[in-house]
Amino acid sequence: MAALGGDGLRLLSVSRPQRPPESAALGGPGPGLCCWVSVFSCLSLACSYVGSLYVWKSELPRDHPAVIKRRFTSVLVVSSLSPLCVLLWRELTGIQPGTSLLTLMGFRLEGIFPAALLPLLLTMILFLGPLMQLSMDCPCDLADGLKVVLAPRSWARCLTDMRWLRNQVIAPLTEELVFRACMLPMLAPCMGLGPAVFTCPLFFGVAHFHHIIEQLRFRQSSVGNIFLSAAFQFSYTAVFGAYTAFLFIRTGHLIGPVLCHSFCNYMGFPAVCAALEHPQRRPLLAGYALGVGLFLLLLQPLTDPRLYGSLPLCVLLERAGDSEAPLCS
């Protein structure tokens, strides 16, 4: 993972005309302190997000509808206020992004349709094997399945299901807003886009360790299994976080990462062991291999920045004189 310091540190030199240099504004030597401000801001956001889940005292498990509703409230409040942290960071460092804050955070109309469709298509290609497995194990045929998916009654039932709303709507939206849209603009100027892609998910992965508290509290498994599960979840979420950070930078939009996050929450981690024991394991494993191969082949073309217009984070780095950022082309 990226380390803070050495040649990896790059600080924007563009500041407001009426401001003193960044080192003076920060009251320190400059680049090093600016990066620590960025890291501290990201850490504060991560702690605020996780802490908001525990402001409500309850003896009920996390999947109880009453607990989910309360957490919706606190998480939405923290997520709504998270752009203020980026504003404060901008004021402390004196960095001029060259674009509006909302645009920098991926809220823009230019290129929104390919930004919504292509990353989701790319993610579905990666999950070709699990999708085949799901269709093989589904008792209904494709036509019946589509009728169920498109039926208004099915959507109405989903919208009243607190767990569905949490996993498919609230969690993807708020997590991508806080851990990608807010953190990447603060990390990229001091360490570059590449290191930021791998540093940002560390906050995201660590934020999921709070599940240990509830698993230990309700004795859901042995202590060893709980910590082993947490380590696996950290690894998985860190890899996924790096992927959605990559999508955010390459498309300049938040909608793609949110939709991909929602889709992955629905699919869960691929059931590779079940695929190895499946009655039709040969075509299924071929689907797994084909999905991974096509994903790697199409990763660059489907995230080509030229499909999405001007990229805000790349504009920010260009103003710093870093016009050769590899993720921008």
Side-chain angles (χ1 to χ4, degrees), residues 173-226:
L173 178 60
T174 58
E175 289 180 2
E176 293 304 317
L177 172 62
V178 172
F179 292 94
R180 246 66 71 187
C182 289
M183 290 189 182
L184 281 171
M186 294 191 289
L187 291 173
C190 83
M191 64 179 63
L193 292 178
V197 165
F198 294 102
T199 303
C200 186
L202 295 181
F203 298 99
F204 182 59
V206 170
H208 284 72
F209 270 115
H210 74 92
H211 294 309
I212 295 177
I213 299 173
E214 299 196 18
Q215 291 173 350
L216 290 173
R217 179 183 171 191
F218 292 99
R219 305 293 176 88
Q220 295 178 357
S221 183
S222 66
V223 174
N225 286 338
I226 288 174

Short mmCIF file of all heavy atoms in Angstrom, two decimals, residues 173-226:
data_model
loop_
_atom_site.label_atom_id
_atom_site.label_comp_id
_atom_site.label_asym_id
_atom_site.label_seq_id
_atom_site.Cartn_x
_atom_site.Cartn_y
_atom_site.Cartn_z
N LEU A 173 -24.68 4.28 -1.43
CA LEU A 173 -24.66 5.73 -1.66
C LEU A 173 -23.80 6.45 -0.64
O LEU A 173 -22.93 7.25 -1.00
CB LEU A 173 -26.09 6.27 -1.62
CG LEU A 173 -26.24 7.79 -1.78
CD1 LEU A 173 -25.69 8.23 -3.13
CD2 LEU A 173 -27.70 8.20 -1.65
N THR A 174 -24.00 6.16 0.64
CA THR A 174 -23.28 6.90 1.68
C THR A 174 -21.81 6.50 1.74
O THR A 174 -20.93 7.34 1.94
CB THR A 174 -23.93 6.70 3.05
OG1 THR A 174 -23.96 5.30 3.38
CG2 THR A 174 -25.35 7.25 3.06
N GLU A 175 -21.52 5.21 1.57
CA GLU A 175 -20.12 4.77 1.63
C GLU A 175 -19.31 5.31 0.46
O GLU A 175 -18.16 5.72 0.63
CB GLU A 175 -20.06 3.25 1.69
CG GLU A 175 -20.53 2.69 3.02
CD GLU A 175 -20.47 1.18 3.11
OE1 GLU A 175 -20.01 0.54 2.13
OE2 GLU A 175 -20.89 0.63 4.13
N GLU A 176 -19.89 5.29 -0.73
CA GLU A 176 -19.15 5.83 -1.88
C GLU A 176 -18.99 7.34 -1.77
O GLU A 176 -17.96 7.90 -2.17
CB GLU A 176 -19.85 5.45 -3.18
CG GLU A 176 -19.85 3.97 -3.50
CD GLU A 176 -18.46 3.37 -3.53
OE1 GLU A 176 -17.55 4.01 -4.10
OE2 GLU A 176 -18.28 2.27 -2.99
N LEU A 177 -19.99 8.02 -1.22
CA LEU A 177 -19.89 9.46 -1.03
C LEU A 177 -18.76 9.81 -0.06
O LEU A 177 -17.92 10.67 -0.34
CB LEU A 177 -21.22 10.02 -0.51
CG LEU A 177 -21.23 11.49 -0.09
CD1 LEU A 177 -20.92 12.39 -1.28
CD2 LEU A 177 -22.58 11.86 0.52
N VAL A 178 -18.74 9.13 1.08
CA VAL A 178 -17.75 9.45 2.12
C VAL A 178 -16.36 8.92 1.75
O VAL A 178 -15.37 9.65 1.81
CB VAL A 178 -18.20 8.88 3.48
CG1 VAL A 178 -17.09 9.02 4.52
CG2 VAL A 178 -19.46 9.59 3.96
N PHE A 179 -16.28 7.64 1.37
CA PHE A 179 -14.98 6.99 1.21
C PHE A 179 -14.37 7.15 -0.17
O PHE A 179 -13.21 6.81 -0.37
CB PHE A 179 -15.11 5.50 1.54
CG PHE A 179 -15.37 5.24 3.00
CD1 PHE A 179 -16.67 5.09 3.47
CD2 PHE A 179 -14.33 5.17 3.91
CE1 PHE A 179 -16.92 4.86 4.81
CE2 PHE A 179 -14.57 4.95 5.26
CZ PHE A 179 -15.87 4.79 5.71
N ARG A 180 -15.11 7.61 -1.15
CA ARG A 180 -14.55 7.86 -2.46
C ARG A 180 -14.65 9.34 -2.83
O ARG A 180 -13.65 10.02 -3.04
CB ARG A 180 -15.25 7.00 -3.52
CG ARG A 180 -14.36 5.97 -4.14
CD ARG A 180 -13.90 4.91 -3.15
NE ARG A 180 -14.99 4.02 -2.79
CZ ARG A 180 -14.88 3.09 -1.84
NH1 ARG A 180 -13.76 2.93 -1.18
NH2 ARG A 180 -15.90 2.31 -1.54
N ALA A 181 -15.89 9.87 -2.90
CA ALA A 181 -16.08 11.23 -3.40
C ALA A 181 -15.44 12.28 -2.50
O ALA A 181 -15.00 13.32 -2.99
CB ALA A 181 -17.57 11.52 -3.55
N CYS A 182 -15.40 12.03 -1.19
CA CYS A 182 -14.81 13.02 -0.28
C CYS A 182 -13.33 12.76 -0.04
O CYS A 182 -12.54 13.70 0.08
CB CYS A 182 -15.55 13.02 1.06
SG CYS A 182 -17.20 13.73 0.98
N MET A 183 -12.93 11.50 0.06
CA MET A 183 -11.54 11.20 0.43
C MET A 183 -10.56 11.33 -0.74
O MET A 183 -9.45 11.84 -0.57
CB MET A 183 -11.46 9.80 1.03
CG MET A 183 -12.10 9.68 2.39
SD MET A 183 -11.74 8.08 3.16
CE MET A 183 -12.68 8.23 4.69
N LEU A 184 -10.95 10.88 -1.92
CA LEU A 184 -10.01 10.91 -3.05
C LEU A 184 -9.55 12.32 -3.41
O LEU A 184 -8.36 12.53 -3.69
CB LEU A 184 -10.62 10.21 -4.26
CG LEU A 184 -10.56 8.68 -4.23
CD1 LEU A 184 -11.39 8.08 -5.36
CD2 LEU A 184 -9.11 8.20 -4.33
N PRO A 185 -10.45 13.33 -3.45
CA PRO A 185 -9.95 14.68 -3.74
C PRO A 185 -8.95 15.20 -2.71
O PRO A 185 -8.11 16.04 -3.05
CB PRO A 185 -11.24 15.53 -3.72
CG PRO A 185 -12.32 14.57 -4.06
CD PRO A 185 -11.93 13.29 -3.40
N MET A 186 -9.03 14.71 -1.48
CA MET A 186 -8.08 15.16 -0.45
C MET A 186 -6.77 14.39 -0.53
O MET A 186 -5.70 14.93 -0.23
CB MET A 186 -8.70 15.02 0.94
CG MET A 186 -9.89 15.94 1.17
SD MET A 186 -10.45 16.01 2.89
CE MET A 186 -11.17 14.38 3.09
N LEU A 187 -6.82 13.12 -0.91
CA LEU A 187 -5.61 12.30 -0.94
C LEU A 187 -4.80 12.49 -2.23
O LEU A 187 -3.57 12.48 -2.21
CB LEU A 187 -5.97 10.82 -0.79
CG LEU A 187 -6.51 10.39 0.58
CD1 LEU A 187 -6.98 8.94 0.52
CD2 LEU A 187 -5.44 10.56 1.66
N ALA A 188 -5.50 12.66 -3.36
CA ALA A 188 -4.82 12.71 -4.65
C ALA A 188 -3.78 13.82 -4.76
O ALA A 188 -2.69 13.59 -5.29
CB ALA A 188 -5.85 12.82 -5.78
N PRO A 189 -4.05 15.06 -4.29
CA PRO A 189 -3.05 16.12 -4.46
C PRO A 189 -1.73 15.86 -3.74
O PRO A 189 -0.69 16.33 -4.18
CB PRO A 189 -3.75 17.36 -3.88
CG PRO A 189 -5.19 17.07 -3.99
CD PRO A 189 -5.31 15.60 -3.75
N CYS A 190 -1.75 15.14 -2.64
CA CYS A 190 -0.51 14.98 -1.88
C CYS A 190 0.25 13.72 -2.25
O CYS A 190 1.46 13.66 -2.03
CB CYS A 190 -0.79 15.01 -0.38
SG CYS A 190 -1.31 13.46 0.35
N MET A 191 -0.39 12.72 -2.84
CA MET A 191 0.34 11.48 -3.14
C MET A 191 0.16 11.00 -4.57
O MET A 191 0.75 10.00 -4.96
CB MET A 191 -0.07 10.38 -2.16
CG MET A 191 -1.51 9.95 -2.24
SD MET A 191 -1.91 8.62 -1.06
CE MET A 191 -1.60 9.45 0.49
N GLY A 192 -0.67 11.66 -5.36
CA GLY A 192 -0.91 11.22 -6.73
C GLY A 192 -2.08 10.26 -6.80
O GLY A 192 -2.50 9.69 -5.80
N LEU A 193 -2.60 10.05 -8.01
CA LEU A 193 -3.80 9.24 -8.18
C LEU A 193 -3.56 7.76 -7.91
O LEU A 193 -4.37 7.10 -7.27
CB LEU A 193 -4.35 9.42 -9.60
CG LEU A 193 -4.92 10.80 -9.94
CD1 LEU A 193 -5.36 10.84 -11.40
CD2 LEU A 193 -6.08 11.14 -9.03
N GLY A 194 -2.44 7.23 -8.41
CA GLY A 194 -2.17 5.81 -8.23
C GLY A 194 -2.10 5.40 -6.76
O GLY A 194 -2.85 4.51 -6.33
N PRO A 195 -1.24 6.03 -5.96
CA PRO A 195 -1.20 5.69 -4.53
C PRO A 195 -2.53 5.95 -3.83
O PRO A 195 -2.89 5.22 -2.91
CB PRO A 195 -0.10 6.60 -3.99
CG PRO A 195 0.79 6.85 -5.15
CD PRO A 195 -0.13 6.92 -6.34
N ALA A 196 -3.25 7.00 -4.24
CA ALA A 196 -4.54 7.30 -3.60
C ALA A 196 -5.55 6.17 -3.82
O ALA A 196 -6.36 5.88 -2.94
CB ALA A 196 -5.10 8.61 -4.14
N VAL A 197 -5.50 5.52 -4.99
CA VAL A 197 -6.40 4.41 -5.27
C VAL A 197 -6.22 3.29 -4.25
O VAL A 197 -7.19 2.64 -3.85
CB VAL A 197 -6.15 3.87 -6.71
CG1 VAL A 197 -6.80 2.51 -6.91
CG2 VAL A 197 -6.70 4.85 -7.73
N PHE A 198 -4.98 3.07 -3.79
CA PHE A 198 -4.72 1.98 -2.86
C PHE A 198 -4.72 2.42 -1.40
O PHE A 198 -4.82 1.59 -0.50
CB PHE A 198 -3.37 1.33 -3.20
CG PHE A 198 -3.37 0.63 -4.53
CD1 PHE A 198 -2.78 1.23 -5.63
CD2 PHE A 198 -3.97 -0.60 -4.68
CE1 PHE A 198 -2.80 0.60 -6.86
CE2 PHE A 198 -3.99 -1.24 -5.90
CZ PHE A 198 -3.40 -0.64 -7.00
N THR A 199 -4.61 3.73 -1.16
CA THR A 199 -4.64 4.22 0.21
C THR A 199 -6.07 4.44 0.68
O THR A 199 -6.43 4.09 1.81
CB THR A 199 -3.86 5.55 0.33
OG1 THR A 199 -2.52 5.34 -0.11
CG2 THR A 199 -3.84 6.06 1.76
N CYS A 200 -6.89 5.01 -0.18
CA CYS A 200 -8.28 5.30 0.17
C CYS A 200 -9.04 4.06 0.67
O CYS A 200 -9.76 4.13 1.67
CB CYS A 200 -8.99 5.92 -1.04
SG CYS A 200 -10.65 6.50 -0.72
N PRO A 201 -8.87 2.88 0.03
CA PRO A 201 -9.61 1.70 0.51
C PRO A 201 -9.21 1.23 1.90
O PRO A 201 -9.95 0.48 2.53
CB PRO A 201 -9.27 0.63 -0.54
CG PRO A 201 -8.88 1.39 -1.75
CD PRO A 201 -8.21 2.62 -1.24
N LEU A 202 -8.02 1.65 2.38
CA LEU A 202 -7.63 1.24 3.73
C LEU A 202 -8.60 1.79 4.77
O LEU A 202 -8.97 1.10 5.71
CB LEU A 202 -6.21 1.72 4.03
CG LEU A 202 -5.09 1.11 3.16
CD1 LEU A 202 -3.74 1.67 3.58
CD2 LEU A 202 -5.10 -0.41 3.25
N PHE A 203 -9.02 3.04 4.57
CA PHE A 203 -10.01 3.63 5.47
C PHE A 203 -11.33 2.87 5.35
O PHE A 203 -12.02 2.63 6.34
CB PHE A 203 -10.23 5.10 5.14
CG PHE A 203 -9.01 5.95 5.32
CD1 PHE A 203 -8.22 6.31 4.22
CD2 PHE A 203 -8.63 6.41 6.56
CE1 PHE A 203 -7.10 7.10 4.37
CE2 PHE A 203 -7.50 7.19 6.73
CZ PHE A 203 -6.74 7.54 5.63
N PHE A 204 -11.67 2.49 4.13
CA PHE A 204 -12.92 1.77 3.87
C PHE A 204 -12.88 0.39 4.51
O PHE A 204 -13.85 -0.05 5.14
CB PHE A 204 -13.11 1.66 2.35
CG PHE A 204 -14.39 0.98 1.93
CD1 PHE A 204 -15.62 1.48 2.30
CD2 PHE A 204 -14.35 -0.16 1.13
CE1 PHE A 204 -16.79 0.86 1.89
CE2 PHE A 204 -15.51 -0.78 0.71
CZ PHE A 204 -16.73 -0.26 1.10
N GLY A 205 -11.75 -0.32 4.36
CA GLY A 205 -11.63 -1.65 4.94
C GLY A 205 -11.64 -1.63 6.45
O GLY A 205 -12.32 -2.43 7.10
N VAL A 206 -10.89 -0.69 7.05
CA VAL A 206 -10.83 -0.59 8.51
C VAL A 206 -12.21 -0.25 9.07
O VAL A 206 -12.60 -0.71 10.15
CB VAL A 206 -9.78 0.46 8.93
CG1 VAL A 206 -9.89 0.77 10.41
CG2 VAL A 206 -8.38 -0.03 8.60
N ALA A 207 -12.98 0.56 8.33
CA ALA A 207 -14.31 0.96 8.79
C ALA A 207 -15.23 -0.24 8.97
O ALA A 207 -16.18 -0.18 9.75
CB ALA A 207 -14.94 1.95 7.81
N HIS A 208 -14.95 -1.35 8.27
CA HIS A 208 -15.80 -2.53 8.38
C HIS A 208 -15.43 -3.41 9.58
O HIS A 208 -16.11 -4.40 9.85
CB HIS A 208 -15.74 -3.36 7.09
CG HIS A 208 -16.52 -2.76 5.96
ND1 HIS A 208 -16.12 -1.62 5.30
CD2 HIS A 208 -17.71 -3.11 5.40
CE1 HIS A 208 -17.01 -1.32 4.37
NE2 HIS A 208 -17.98 -2.20 4.41
N PHE A 209 -14.37 -3.06 10.29
CA PHE A 209 -13.99 -3.84 11.46
C PHE A 209 -15.00 -3.70 12.60
O PHE A 209 -14.97 -4.48 13.55
CB PHE A 209 -12.60 -3.43 11.96
CG PHE A 209 -11.48 -4.21 11.33
CD1 PHE A 209 -10.55 -3.60 10.52
CD2 PHE A 209 -11.38 -5.57 11.56
CE1 PHE A 209 -9.52 -4.33 9.94
CE2 PHE A 209 -10.35 -6.32 10.97
CZ PHE A 209 -9.42 -5.70 10.16
N HIS A 210 -15.88 -2.70 12.51
CA HIS A 210 -16.85 -2.52 13.59
C HIS A 210 -17.81 -3.70 13.69
O HIS A 210 -18.45 -3.89 14.72
CB HIS A 210 -17.63 -1.21 13.41
CG HIS A 210 -18.64 -1.25 12.31
ND1 HIS A 210 -19.95 -1.60 12.54
CD2 HIS A 210 -18.53 -1.00 10.98
CE1 HIS A 210 -20.62 -1.55 11.40
NE2 HIS A 210 -19.79 -1.19 10.44
N HIS A 211 -17.89 -4.52 12.64
CA HIS A 211 -18.76 -5.70 12.70
C HIS A 211 -18.28 -6.67 13.77
O HIS A 211 -19.07 -7.46 14.30
CB HIS A 211 -18.80 -6.41 11.34
CG HIS A 211 -19.47 -5.60 10.27
ND1 HIS A 211 -20.71 -5.04 10.44
CD2 HIS A 211 -19.07 -5.27 9.01
CE1 HIS A 211 -21.06 -4.39 9.33
NE2 HIS A 211 -20.08 -4.51 8.46
N ILE A 212 -16.97 -6.63 14.10
CA ILE A 212 -16.43 -7.51 15.14
C ILE A 212 -17.15 -7.27 16.46
O ILE A 212 -17.45 -8.21 17.21
CB ILE A 212 -14.92 -7.28 15.31
CG1 ILE A 212 -14.17 -7.68 14.04
CG2 ILE A 212 -14.37 -8.06 16.49
CD1 ILE A 212 -12.68 -7.42 14.10
N ILE A 213 -17.42 -5.98 16.74
CA ILE A 213 -18.05 -5.62 18.02
C ILE A 213 -19.39 -6.34 18.17
O ILE A 213 -19.68 -6.95 19.21
CB ILE A 213 -18.24 -4.10 18.11
CG1 ILE A 213 -16.88 -3.39 18.03
CG2 ILE A 213 -18.97 -3.71 19.39
CD1 ILE A 213 -16.98 -1.88 17.94
N GLU A 214 -20.20 -6.29 17.13
CA GLU A 214 -21.53 -6.89 17.22
C GLU A 214 -21.47 -8.40 17.21
O GLU A 214 -22.25 -9.07 17.89
CB GLU A 214 -22.40 -6.37 16.08
CG GLU A 214 -22.59 -4.87 16.13
CD GLU A 214 -23.73 -4.39 15.25
OE1 GLU A 214 -24.56 -5.23 14.87
OE2 GLU A 214 -23.78 -3.20 14.97
N GLN A 215 -20.53 -8.98 16.44
CA GLN A 215 -20.41 -10.43 16.42
C GLN A 215 -19.96 -10.97 17.77
O GLN A 215 -20.44 -12.02 18.22
CB GLN A 215 -19.44 -10.85 15.32
CG GLN A 215 -19.98 -10.61 13.92
CD GLN A 215 -18.95 -10.88 12.84
OE1 GLN A 215 -17.77 -11.08 13.12
NE2 GLN A 215 -19.39 -10.86 11.60
N LEU A 216 -19.04 -10.26 18.43
CA LEU A 216 -18.62 -10.66 19.77
C LEU A 216 -19.74 -10.45 20.78
O LEU A 216 -19.94 -11.26 21.69
CB LEU A 216 -17.38 -9.88 20.18
CG LEU A 216 -16.07 -10.21 19.43
CD1 LEU A 216 -14.97 -9.24 19.84
CD2 LEU A 216 -15.64 -11.65 19.73
N ARG A 217 -20.46 -9.36 20.61
CA ARG A 217 -21.52 -9.02 21.55
C ARG A 217 -22.63 -10.06 21.55
O ARG A 217 -23.15 -10.44 22.61
CB ARG A 217 -22.09 -7.65 21.17
CG ARG A 217 -23.23 -7.16 22.05
CD ARG A 217 -23.72 -5.83 21.52
NE ARG A 217 -24.93 -5.40 22.16
CZ ARG A 217 -25.68 -4.39 21.74
NH1 ARG A 217 -25.31 -3.72 20.66
NH2 ARG A 217 -26.78 -4.05 22.39
N PHE A 218 -23.00 -10.55 20.36
CA PHE A 218 -24.08 -11.53 20.27
C PHE A 218 -23.56 -12.96 20.13
O PHE A 218 -24.34 -13.87 19.83
CB PHE A 218 -24.99 -11.17 19.09
CG PHE A 218 -25.77 -9.91 19.29
CD1 PHE A 218 -25.35 -8.71 18.71
CD2 PHE A 218 -26.92 -9.89 20.08
CE1 PHE A 218 -26.06 -7.54 18.90
CE2 PHE A 218 -27.63 -8.72 20.26
CZ PHE A 218 -27.21 -7.53 19.68
N ARG A 219 -22.24 -13.15 20.34
CA ARG A 219 -21.62 -14.49 20.32
C ARG A 219 -22.04 -15.27 19.08
O ARG A 219 -22.51 -16.42 19.18
CB ARG A 219 -22.01 -15.25 21.58
CG ARG A 219 -21.68 -14.54 22.89
CD ARG A 219 -20.17 -14.43 23.09
NE ARG A 219 -19.85 -13.67 24.29
CZ ARG A 219 -19.73 -14.20 25.51
NH1 ARG A 219 -19.93 -15.50 25.69
NH2 ARG A 219 -19.39 -13.44 26.54
N GLN A 220 -21.87 -14.66 17.90
CA GLN A 220 -22.33 -15.29 16.67
C GLN A 220 -21.41 -16.41 16.20
O GLN A 220 -21.77 -17.20 15.35
CB GLN A 220 -22.48 -14.23 15.58
CG GLN A 220 -23.55 -13.19 15.89
CD GLN A 220 -23.65 -12.12 14.82
OE1 GLN A 220 -22.88 -12.10 13.87
NE2 GLN A 220 -24.60 -11.20 14.97
N SER A 221 -20.20 -16.46 16.77
CA SER A 221 -19.25 -17.50 16.40
C SER A 221 -18.12 -17.49 17.43
O SER A 221 -18.15 -16.69 18.38
CB SER A 221 -18.72 -17.26 14.98
OG SER A 221 -17.85 -18.30 14.59
N SER A 222 -17.14 -18.37 17.25
CA SER A 222 -15.98 -18.35 18.14
C SER A 222 -15.14 -17.11 17.86
O SER A 222 -15.20 -16.52 16.77
CB SER A 222 -15.14 -19.60 17.93
OG SER A 222 -14.57 -19.60 16.63
N VAL A 223 -14.34 -16.72 18.84
CA VAL A 223 -13.51 -15.51 18.70
C VAL A 223 -12.56 -15.64 17.51
O VAL A 223 -12.38 -14.71 16.72
CB VAL A 223 -12.73 -15.24 20.00
CG1 VAL A 223 -11.77 -14.07 19.81
CG2 VAL A 223 -13.68 -14.97 21.15
N GLY A 224 -11.96 -16.82 17.37
CA GLY A 224 -11.03 -17.03 16.25
C GLY A 224 -11.70 -16.88 14.91
O GLY A 224 -11.17 -16.22 14.00
N ASN A 225 -12.88 -17.46 14.76
CA ASN A 225 -13.61 -17.37 13.49
C ASN A 225 -14.06 -15.94 13.20
O ASN A 225 -14.07 -15.50 12.05
CB ASN A 225 -14.82 -18.30 13.51
CG ASN A 225 -14.44 -19.75 13.38
OD1 ASN A 225 -13.36 -20.07 12.89
ND2 ASN A 225 -15.31 -20.65 13.83
N ILE A 226 -14.43 -15.22 14.26
CA ILE A 226 -14.86 -13.83 14.08
C ILE A 226 -13.72 -12.98 13.54
O ILE A 226 -13.89 -12.20 12.59
CB ILE A 226 -15.41 -13.26 15.40
CG1 ILE A 226 -16.77 -13.88 15.72
CG2 ILE A 226 -15.54 -11.73 15.32
CD1 ILE A 226 -17.33 -13.50 17.07
#
